[in-house]
Amino acid sequence: MNATTSHTGRTGHTPAPTPESEPEPARTPWEDLVTSALLGTDRRRPDVDVPPGTGVPAALLDAAAVETVRRRAGLRPAAAAALPERAAPDTRPPLPAAARRRLALLLADRSGPGGSRRGSAPDLTELLPQWLAVADEYGYAAPPELLPALFDAARGRTDLRPQALRFAGPRGLWLARLNPDWKFALRTAPGGSTLPAADDTERVRRLWQEGLFAERVALLAAVRAHSPAAARELLDGTWPKERAEDRLMFLDSLRAGLSDGDETFLERALSDRSRNVRATAAELLSALPHSALAARMAERAASCVALDPARTAVQVEAPHACDPAMERDGVVPNAPPGRGQRSWWFGQLVEATPLATWTARLGGRGAEAITALPVHDDWRPELHAAWCRAAVRQRDATWARALLGTPSAPEAGGPGAVSLAERAKLLAVLPPGERAEWVAGFIDAHGLSEAFQLLGVCALPWAGALGRAVVDALNIARDAGSYPWSFSGVMGLAERCLDPAETSRLESLTAIPDEPEDGAPGAVGYWAEAFQRLAGTLRLRAQMIAELDPAGVTPRRPA
């Protein structure tokens, strides 16, 4: 389109001065070129050189072409300065040629997530994060020429950033320092700098005392992975001087590798002036079954729970007050709206009590027998919900199994789990294979309508039994004439999580059968499109994996 034909302006933009009053800049910013193109060169003459025999519109397009090359190169035009230092070397192997072409194709698709789900073509925007995850497993280096496009994609999608930055490597951080559009990379990888070695005591101490907050968080995590005692020593040295919100973040980093060696420090944190810090310290201590706090909580909770005189059921006597000692140990005194004060205190005590306490307290029974006991006076939901939270906090698979129960149970809630969210958290405690088997049994018994949250905690790709259960349930829903859009979330999840080996089982589902009389109007066509898209996506994922692994080797970093 001729640049003089457009008369559409942008609200909020101030017209530029006339060429007579404005000195000609050395280089024209992209925004000025865009504004001139939108307004028309007859209304706003761009600040570009116009060679003899060339019109202003053509000169604008030539300048835009040059500026486009600069933008794609990742370096903004600026005054002459010293050349930047070279990027740190990237010793990772290069991408295979076919995988490099595939990445360029995925990055060229800018339709963005969240578009329409109609049609049978695979959604390339959803394949990009999967491609990055597999490439990272093999430890490949990103092609330098694709780094600008990769950062542009990650700039618009926060879900891509962790994988994109790992894949970009040191060259990516070097490039991000040259373009303010990519400053998110410097925030995510603190300062774009390399952390000192954990055993370089002097550099670690200097960065801890002088570094930015994000750098200090990353440093504390790195030192803790190398030496938990050294990390605690760093934290202890500056703890009284830290801001409350910083103390909370630093304390949260102790979750990784939490051990009994952290107890002394965490006990001191129970007296912190910040309520959030005290609550986090109490939570971490309650995850240590041999800590003094766990013993105090166990004593309090045991005084509230006992067997009835017949020793065949559980009776509960919730606490009547929340004393200062309970508050110091992390019990929040004020209940949220809709909750009784006593039940609120009781739930917190049980949640923080080591689960081994209950075997001795309730007649030597194991977790399965304990969760099967009746509970008097309608205290069962509160007691079992607290046990669910304790099992998740203490990562106790035995109690998680007991509280989940069998997936085919009529109530689909198990002896203790009372919500889908609780079931999902309990499942996350189990080994991946057992998790997938339980969810497959749940789908076989109850269908897909309530399984979405449970599918989200299963390891990828879904195990064979789970994948077959999902495909069979989708087929049953189609044959039953269900509304297809009710299962669009599960279908989208299947595109990302199904094993490509399941493609052959989908072929028979891609045909368009006769529409049933009692089915939703247009549902048959939608289902056919959805299965065609699912099969096409799985084939494309299989092809992507083959391109990243042409020699059939084992990933360097298994997922």
Side-chain angles (χ1 to χ4, degrees), residues 393-449:
R393 181 182 293 189
Q394 298 170 36
R395 311 299 297 173
D396 192 309
T398 300
W399 273 83
R401 292 186 192 98
L403 291 162
L404 277 167
T406 60
S408 59
E411 61 184 14
V418 294
S419 70
L420 283 170
E422 284 179 340
R423 276 174 263 170
K425 292 176 182 178
L426 289 170
L427 281 168
V429 178
L430 303 180
E434 185 178 354
R435 201 182 311 165
E437 184 178 353
W438 197 96
V439 177
F442 181 92
I443 292 172
D444 288 340
H446 307 287
L448 283 171
S449 58

Side-chain angles (χ1 to χ4, degrees), residues 489-505:
V490 175
M491 189 68 78
L493 198 59
E495 292 178 24
R496 299 189 292 273
C497 305
L498 264 181
D499 193 322
E502 297 293 325
T503 307
S504 59
R505 300 185 64 250

Side-chain angles (χ1 to χ4, degrees), residues 9-374:
R10 288 182 178 177
T11 59
H13 281 234
T14 303
T18 62
E20 290 76 18
S21 63
E22 180 181 301
E24 186 166 335
R27 298 183 184 182
T28 304
W30 176 258
E31 292 80 4
D32 288 346
L33 292 174
V34 171
T35 302
S36 295
L38 289 171
L39 293 175
T41 56
D42 56 341
R43 297 181 61 192
R44 187 188 189 284
R45 180 185 175 90
D47 298 314
V48 296
D49 293 328
V50 182
T54 303
V56 176
L60 182 147
L61 295 177
D62 289 341
V66 173
E67 189 69 20
T68 298
V69 173
R70 288 174 178 154
R71 288 164 61 85
R72 288 179 177 173
L75 179 62
R76 291 291 185 88
L83 293 176
E85 296 182 2
R86 289 180 175 271
D90 194 338
T91 58
R92 297 175 296 176
L95 274 175
R100 188 168 61 252
R101 290 192 294 270
R102 177 72 62 190
L103 176 60
L105 178 64
L106 295 176
L107 289 173
D109 185 272
R110 293 300 183 85
S111 58
S116 172
R117 298 300 296 151
R118 291 306 303 261
S120 58
D123 185 354
L124 297 185
T125 62
E126 288 300 328
L127 288 174
L128 180 57
Q130 298 177 54
W131 188 97
L132 289 171
V134 178
D136 187 59
E137 292 173 24
Y138 285 91
Y140 287 121
E145 70 275 12
L146 294 180
L147 284 174
L150 178 65
F151 275 156
D152 280 344
R155 179 191 179 196
R157 290 185 59 181
T158 55
D159 62 309
L160 286 178
R161 291 181 183 179
Q163 294 170 331
L165 291 175
R166 277 197 303 271
F167 183 57
R171 285 196 188 108
L173 289 177
W174 177 87
L175 190 61
R177 287 194 289 268
L178 303 177
N179 190 332
D181 284 346
W182 302 330
K183 59 186 177 182
F184 68 85
L186 304 181
R187 289 196 301 264
T188 307
S193 61
T194 302
L195 294 175
D199 55 359
D200 189 342
T201 307
E202 179 57 29
R203 289 188 62 203
V204 165
R205 183 194 61 79
R206 187 165 61 251
L207 182 59
W208 177 252
Q209 293 181 347
E210 302 173 2
L212 301 174
F213 173 69
E215 290 176 317
R216 299 177 73 212
V217 171
L219 177 67
L220 185 65
V223 173
R224 183 162 176 81
H226 175 74
S227 171
R232 287 194 302 271
E233 184 178 347
L234 274 181
L235 195 53
D236 203 17
T238 60
W239 184 258
K241 303 176 184 177
E242 305 288 355
R243 300 182 305 167
E245 56 267 34
D246 294 352
R247 294 198 304 276
L248 184 63
M249 287 291 292
F250 292 142
L251 196 63
D252 201 59
S253 68
L254 299 184
R255 294 181 189 276
L258 184 68
S259 69
D260 291 336
D262 300 316
E263 182 180 1
T264 301
F265 179 82
L266 292 173
E267 274 285 343
R268 290 203 305 273
L270 288 177
S271 301
D272 195 90
R273 56 187 180 273
S274 166
R275 183 180 64 182
N276 290 334
V277 172
R278 294 195 302 271
T280 301
E283 179 188 346
L284 293 174
L285 282 167
S286 68
L288 298 173
H290 303 296
S291 68
L293 179 138
R296 294 193 296 270
M297 288 298 201
E299 182 178 357
R300 294 176 181 127
S303 67
C304 299
V305 179
L307 291 173
D308 65 1
R311 303 186 65 81
T312 58
V314 176
Q315 57 187 19
V316 171
E317 180 65 27
H320 291 270
C322 180
D323 57 43
M326 289 169 60
E327 285 194 54
R328 183 182 182 275
D329 283 348
V331 177
V332 179
N334 297 322
R339 291 287 303 273
Q341 290 280 56
R342 295 181 63 199
S343 65
W344 172 246
W345 300 330
F346 172 73
Q348 293 179 79
L349 295 181
V350 174
E351 178 182 354
T353 296
L355 289 164
T357 301
W358 305 113
T359 296
R361 180 63 175 165
L362 300 176
R365 295 174 173 86
E368 189 172 347
I370 289 173
T371 55
L373 286 170

Side-chain angles (χ1 to χ4, degrees), residues 435-456 458-479 487-499 502 505-506 509 527 530-531 534 538 541:
R435 201 182 311 165
E437 184 178 353
W438 197 96
V439 177
F442 181 92
I443 292 172
D444 288 340
H446 307 287
L448 283 171
S449 58
E450 294 189 7
F452 187 78
Q453 278 185 282
L454 307 183
L455 288 169
C458 293
L460 304 181
W462 288 337
L466 178 56
R468 289 190 294 273
V470 171
V471 173
D472 290 345
L474 287 170
N475 190 24
I476 291 171
R478 181 191 66 166
D479 292 344
F487 298 91
S488 58
V490 175
M491 189 68 78
L493 198 59
E495 292 178 24
R496 299 189 292 273
C497 305
L498 264 181
D499 193 322
E502 297 293 325
R505 300 185 64 250
L506 292 168
L509 305 179
W527 278 112
F531 282 123
L534 177 56
L538 295 185
R541 282 176 51 204

